[in-house]
């Protein structure tokens, strides 16, 4: 049994000869049992009128015939101008795609393939449109669209897969999309919105500093008196943050969207020609966000916090005299780069679940997750097709080395000093080479015996008589990717360049997983006999952790600067940091290594102003600057 059995049965029935008997099924255009009948039925659409052939190509993502069909439509005499072919059969076909996507009968990979077909058709018509414009001496550009959508990844952020998907999906729904790219300053976004008379502005971002930059954009829109609706999305964004931080900064409509499939109905509602319906939608969102703000501030008032001194007194207590907690000396001290690491050696370490999430393919229980998703009645077939095409591109990456895996690991003597970790020049521990600063949990816990954690708890304290160690890494699968993506973009192949970006992200994470295994078994060597399956690794069943600065265990991205300085990451690997401390290339991962059995992942959560001031003092950082970098962790309004 499956949810779409009726639709599948009707689709199958439509492929049969109307008068054939149930006991002698005949495909259209074939005879019962005739060889090649299936192929003839599959090719039967080629005998349809040209408009229907174009629609079929768009819906099925077939680009083999679309240029010839588009030319046939242009020269048929039914369309007096090439522009009318775009506004007629091509847009009508894309409307069908949009309707099917909205109804859940087409999936994101199919929609993006449809966009590729559309671009090939339009690309064929553009020279004819330009020639007509030259002859007529006027502007014959395409102006009939559902609205103008300006989208950008905000300043300091380089992640754009989600943005690219939204741009393609909206383009498929007849929106004119102005994509400003990545690391876009607010001035450029607002100037473009005015220049192109934007109906909606979209902001995207992945790292937490991007949240503050989105607030800045909203404030600047308010200062300029712009009232254009603002759409917010990206992995680090949330409806709550949008309601609490962004919406109050701007008097125009502000809406958070979870993913690309949700963006279409939201943007359509924001440009609805029915002004009453549009206002009702805006008012409903504003009311919902007002309730979320009340809920947020009420939660802050209800939540109790320990003082910093109380939290420190309840830190994780490790018995460093117990042999089980004795630090293991790494076999390597200092940094070592691993350049052009073989792609074939990380393929088995790929976690495919986030890949399918990027493409918004989600199986239903019991077929959630890879590889069970292939058995799902609704998305299984498309998921398998997507996976097979991903394997083809990975094979190309591997054989032709079109992207390169570059990385570096480093290990250094270290001891904790309160909530911080001193990193030493050598094992005499007499000269401090760098320092990592920690943040400690303060939100009151139900279990009074539960410790209040900080990453420094996992390193033997100074004065314990023990030399402990800390590791760190940075790795990327993005070198060479820019050229790959540029080639696909030049060819108008949205599907392939989004696939390339999604696979590069997976390879970077797989490389990080492989490096961590090498660290545990060889380079640090604290678990030389480890024998875990990749599935167990992805479930974090190994000893030790690799938390990343800017994430729950240490939410301050500026801690990356110490890692980059200690290992000379930029020079050694070509992985650099933006002003918001996003890594470039975007398909990059970094973090610290803690090897002790006592180490575990945790979330710092919200912290008080006293801890922020203490932290800023220890780091010799301006208090306001510390609040800016820790904005998502504050239990107060700065």
């Amino acid at each position: 049994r499956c949810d779409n059995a009726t639709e599948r049965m009707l689709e199958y029935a439509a492929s049969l000869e109307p008068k054939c008997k149930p006991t002698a099924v005949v495909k259209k255009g074939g005879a019962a049992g005739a060889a090649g009948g299936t192929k003839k039925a599959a090719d039967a659409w080629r005998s349809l009128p040209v408009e229907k052939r174009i629609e079929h190509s768009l819906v099925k993502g077939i680009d083999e015939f679309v240029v010839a069909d588009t030319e046939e439509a242009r020269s048929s005499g039914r369309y007096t101008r090439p522009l009318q072919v775009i506004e007629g059969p091509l847009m009508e076909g894309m409307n069908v795609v949009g309707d099917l996507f909205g109804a859940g009968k087409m999936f994101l990979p199919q929609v993006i393939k449809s966009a590729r077909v559309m671009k090939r058709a339009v690309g064929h018509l553009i020279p004819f449109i330009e020639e007509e414009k030259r002859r007529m001496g006027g502007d014959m550009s395409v102006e009939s669209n559902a609205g103008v959508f300006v989208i950008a990844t905000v300043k300091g952020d380089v992640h754009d897969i989600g943005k690219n998907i939204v741009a393609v999906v909206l383009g498929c729904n007849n929106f004119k999309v102005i994509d400003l790219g990545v690391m876009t300053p607010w001035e450029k976004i607002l100037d473009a919105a005015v220049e192109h008379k934007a109906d909606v502005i979209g902001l995207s971002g992945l790292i937490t500093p991007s949240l503050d930059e989105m607030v800045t954009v909203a404030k600047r829109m308010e200062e300029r008196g712009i009232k254009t609706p603002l759409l917010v999305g990206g992995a680090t964004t949330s409806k709550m943050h949008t309601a609490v931080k962004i919406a109050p900064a701007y008097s125009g409509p502000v809406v958070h969207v979870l993913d690309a499939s949700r963006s279409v109905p939201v943007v359509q509602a924001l440009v609805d020609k029915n002004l009453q319906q549009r206002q009702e939608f805006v008012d409903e969102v504003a009311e919902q966000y007002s309730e979320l703000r009340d809920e947020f501030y009420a939660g802050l008032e209800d939540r109790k916090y320990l003082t910093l001194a109380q939290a420190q007194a309840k830190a994780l207590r490790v018995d460093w005299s117990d042999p089980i907690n004795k630090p293991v000396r790494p076999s390597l001290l200092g940094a070592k780069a691993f350049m052009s690491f073989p792609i074939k050696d990380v393929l088995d370490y790929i976690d495919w679940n986030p890949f399918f999430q990027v493409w918004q393919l989600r199986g239903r229980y019991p077929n959630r997750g890879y590889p069970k998703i292939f058995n799902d009645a609704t998305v299984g077939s498309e998921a398998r097709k997507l996976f097979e095409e991903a394997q083809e591109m990975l094979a190309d990456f591997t054989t032709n080395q079109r992207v390169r895996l570059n990385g570096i690991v480093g290990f250094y003597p270290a001891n904790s000093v309160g909530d911080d970790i001193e990193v030493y020049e050598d094992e005499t521990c007499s000269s401090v080479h760098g320092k990592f600063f920690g943040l400690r949990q303060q939100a009151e816990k139900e279990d009074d015996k539960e410790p209040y954690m900080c990453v420094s708890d996992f390193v033997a304290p100074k004065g314990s008589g023990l030399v402990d160690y800390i590791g760190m890494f940075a790795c990327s699968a993005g070198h060479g990717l820019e050229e790959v993506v540029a080639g696909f973009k030049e060819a108008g192949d949205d599907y392939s360049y989004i696939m390339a970006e999604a696979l590069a992200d997976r390879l970077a994470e797989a490389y990080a997983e492989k490096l961590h295994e090498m660290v545990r078994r060889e380079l640090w060597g604290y678990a030389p006999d480890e024998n875990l399956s990749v599935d167990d690794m992805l479930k974090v069943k190994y000893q030790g952790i690799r938390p990343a600065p800017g994430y729950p265990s240490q939410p301050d991205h500026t801690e990356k600067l110490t890692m980059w300085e200690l290992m000379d990451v930029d020079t050694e690997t070509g992985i650099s940091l933006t002003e918001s401390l996003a890594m470039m290339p975007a398909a990059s991962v970094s973090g610290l290594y803690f090897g002790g059995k006592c180490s575990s992942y945790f979330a710092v959560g919200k912290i008080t102003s006293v801890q922020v001031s203490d932290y800023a003092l220890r780091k010799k950082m301006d208090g306001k600057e510390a609040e800016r970098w820790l904005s998502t962790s504050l239990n107060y309004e700065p």
Side-chain angles (χ1 to χ4, degrees):
R1 291 176 181 269
C2 59
D3 294 338
N4 66 338
T6 303
E7 287 87 347
R8 291 168 67 194
M9 189 163 62
L10 288 171
E11 186 176 339
Y12 176 68
S15 70
L16 304 178
E17 286 290 350
K19 295 181 180 180
C20 69
K21 297 178 181 179
T23 54
V25 172
V26 180
K27 292 277 188 178
K28 284 182 178 176
T38 303
K39 187 179 188 310
K40 287 181 181 177
D43 292 342
W45 68 279
R46 296 302 303 153
S47 63
L48 295 171
V50 68
E51 289 81 3
K52 286 297 180 183
R53 298 202 303 271
I54 288 173
E55 179 186 309
H56 184 90
S57 292
L58 290 165
V59 171
K60 298 298 182 182
I62 302 168
D63 62 1
E64 183 181 354
F65 308 103
V66 74
V67 170
D69 288 344
T70 301
E71 174 57 24
E72 182 181 331
R74 186 193 71 83
S75 56
S76 66
R78 291 192 296 278
Y79 305 98
T80 57
R81 296 170 52 208
L83 182 58
Q84 291 176 347
V85 180
I86 295 176
E87 294 174 334
L90 284 168
M91 278 318 306
E92 286 166 10
M94 289 309 292
N95 288 339
V96 173
V97 170
D99 290 344
L100 290 171
F101 183 54
K105 294 180 180 179
M106 276 185 76
F107 304 107
L108 184 61
Q110 296 167 306
V111 171
I112 294 179
K113 287 178 181 177
S114 298
R116 177 170 62 185
V117 176
M118 180 70 169
K119 283 193 173 182
R120 285 205 68 185
V122 172
H124 173 72
L125 291 170
I126 282 175
F128 297 100
I129 293 173
E130 293 296 327
E131 173 61 21
E132 184 181 29
K133 186 197 300 184
R134 187 188 63 76
R135 282 190 289 104
M136 302 292 288
D139 183 6
M140 309 295 292
S141 60
V142 181
E143 288 299 335
S144 58
N145 53 59
V148 177
F149 184 77
V150 169
I151 189 170
T153 298
V154 296
K155 185 177 77 170
D157 204 326
V158 296
H159 298 87
D160 67 349
I161 295 181
K163 171 186 69 64
N164 292 339
I165 290 172
V166 169
V168 172
V169 171
L170 285 173
C172 289
N173 283 268
N174 198 23
F175 283 89
K176 181 180 179 182
V177 178
I178 310 298
D179 187 344
L180 302 179
V182 300
M183 295 199 295
T184 316
W186 65 265
E187 298 94 337
K188 184 176 179 181
I189 296 170
L190 271 55
D191 289 347
V194 172
E195 178 189 349
H196 297 283
K197 299 178 181 177
D199 295 293
V200 182
I201 297 171
L203 303 179
S204 178
L206 179 80
I207 58 173
T208 48
S210 296
L211 298 174
D212 281 342
E213 186 59 29
M214 290 177 182
V215 174
T216 298
V217 175
K219 287 178 177 177
R220 297 296 180 263
M221 290 172 70
E222 185 69 13
E223 289 171 5
R224 286 199 183 184
I226 294 173
K227 298 300 178 189
T228 307
L230 183 61
L231 202 69
V232 172
T236 195
T237 64
S238 68
K239 186 181 287 188
M240 183 64 83
H241 179 270
T242 303
V244 174
K245 297 291 186 180
I246 302 177
Y250 181 52
S251 57
V254 181
V255 187
H256 175 262
V257 288
L258 196 60
D259 57 40
S261 62
R262 313 278 177 92
S263 65
V264 175
V266 169
V267 176
Q268 287 173 336
L270 290 170
V271 299
D272 197 326
K273 296 284 192 289
N274 185 317
L275 298 182
Q276 182 179 344
Q277 288 184 9
R278 186 197 305 182
Q279 193 58 46
E280 285 175 358
F281 174 77
V282 169
D283 291 343
E284 183 182 344
V285 172
E287 184 179 344
Q288 185 183 53
Y289 286 8
S290 177
E291 291 172 358
L292 284 173
R293 282 193 292 276
D294 292 342
E295 178 187 322
F296 175 80
Y297 289 116
L300 285 183
E301 292 174 6
D302 294 342
R303 197 74 192 262
K304 294 181 180 179
Y305 294 84
L306 273 64
T307 65
L308 179 58
Q310 289 172 331
Q312 289 169 335
K314 292 192 173 188
L316 176 70
R317 299 302 172 196
V318 178
D319 182 0
W320 293 104
S321 65
D322 189 332
I324 200 172
N325 293 316
K326 182 181 178 182
V328 175
R329 185 182 190 275
S331 58
L332 163 73
L333 284 178
K336 181 176 181 178
F338 295 86
M339 304 296 284
S340 297
F341 196 84
I343 293 177
K344 63 181 176 60
D345 290 350
V346 308
L347 294 178
D348 290 341
Y349 296 77
I350 292 177
D351 180 359
W352 286 102
N353 289 313
F355 174 78
F356 290 113
Q357 290 164 10
V358 164
W359 291 98
Q360 296 170 26
L361 292 176
R362 301 176 180 95
R364 293 183 181 180
Y365 179 84
N367 295 316
R368 292 183 186 139
Y370 169 82
K372 291 180 180 179
I373 191 172
F374 298 145
N375 301 323
D376 188 80
T378 304
V379 304
S381 175
E382 190 60 34
R384 185 175 293 281
K385 189 175 181 181
L386 179 74
F387 182 74
E388 289 169 354
E389 289 170 349
Q391 299 309 305
E392 292 175 10
M393 186 171 286
L394 281 174
D396 177 40
F397 284 1
T398 304
T399 303
N400 299 310
Q401 298 182 324
R402 300 187 71 194
V403 299
R404 298 181 300 283
L405 306 186
N406 294 333
I408 190 169
V409 298
F411 307 95
Y412 304 89
N415 283 127
S416 62
V417 180
D419 290 348
D420 302 330
I421 301 168
E422 288 185 346
V423 180
Y424 303 115
E425 293 275 4
D426 54 46
E427 289 169 296
T428 66
C429 303
S430 57
S431 177
V432 177
H433 190 32
K435 186 181 280 190
F436 290 102
F437 298 88
L439 292 163
R440 189 169 295 280
Q441 295 173 319
Q442 282 188 272
E444 189 176 62
K445 302 182 180 185
E446 290 184 9
D447 185 349
D448 192 51
K449 295 181 181 179
E450 198 174 336
Y452 288 71
M453 312 275 272
C454 175
V455 289
S456 63
D457 296 345
F458 309 141
V459 179
K462 192 174 186 177
S464 65
L466 295 172
V467 179
D468 207 341
Y469 302 88
I470 190 170
M472 57 204 73
F473 77 98
C475 65
S476 177
H479 292 99
L481 180 67
E482 193 173 334
E483 292 80 3
V484 172
V485 168
F488 287 133
K489 284 187 174 181
E490 190 176 340
D493 191 347
D494 295 322
Y495 178 76
S496 293
Y497 87 71
I498 291 172
M499 174 73 83
E501 290 179 332
L503 288 177
D505 274 359
R506 291 300 87 223
L507 286 172
E509 294 286 355
Y511 189 19
E513 202 67 68
K514 176 64 177 176
L515 284 175
H516 198 187
E517 183 188 43
M518 291 165 58
V519 165
R520 296 190 301 271
R521 295 177 61 179
E522 306 160 29
L523 300 172
W524 192 333
Y526 58 78
D529 301 321
E530 176 186 289
N531 187 23
L532 296 175
S533 67
V534 172
D535 191 47
D536 283 341
M537 288 184 210
L538 296 177
K539 291 176 180 174
V540 198
K541 291 187 177 181
Y542 46 73
Q543 179 182 325
I545 58 173
R546 59 168 193 269
Y551 289 86
S553 297
Q554 205 331 349
D556 181 7
H557 280 275
T558 66
E559 290 293 282
K560 286 181 198 158
L561 294 169
T562 304
M563 293 166 52
W564 256 247
E565 184 180 342
L566 286 170
M567 296 191 291
D568 197 11
V569 176
D570 199 342
T571 302
E572 292 293 327
T573 67
I575 305 170
S576 60
L577 297 172
T578 70
E579 60 188 303
S580 293
L581 302 182
M583 291 171 284
M584 290 184 66
S588 301
V589 185
S590 66
L592 298 173
Y593 291 131
F594 294 88
K597 285 183 180 291
C598 62
S599 60
S600 62
Y601 288 105
F602 67 94
V604 169
K606 299 292 183 183
I607 59 176
T608 66
S609 60
V610 172
Q611 179 164 193
V612 174
S613 298
D614 182 74
Y615 181 76
L617 191 64
R618 289 169 9 231
K619 281 195 74 151
K620 296 181 174 58
M621 178 185 275
D622 177 74
K624 291 294 182 187
E625 183 77 355
E627 286 180 332
R628 184 172 73 84
W629 286 103
L630 297 172
S631 61
T632 59
S633 300
L634 307 180
N635 82 330
Y636 62 96
E637 284 292 321

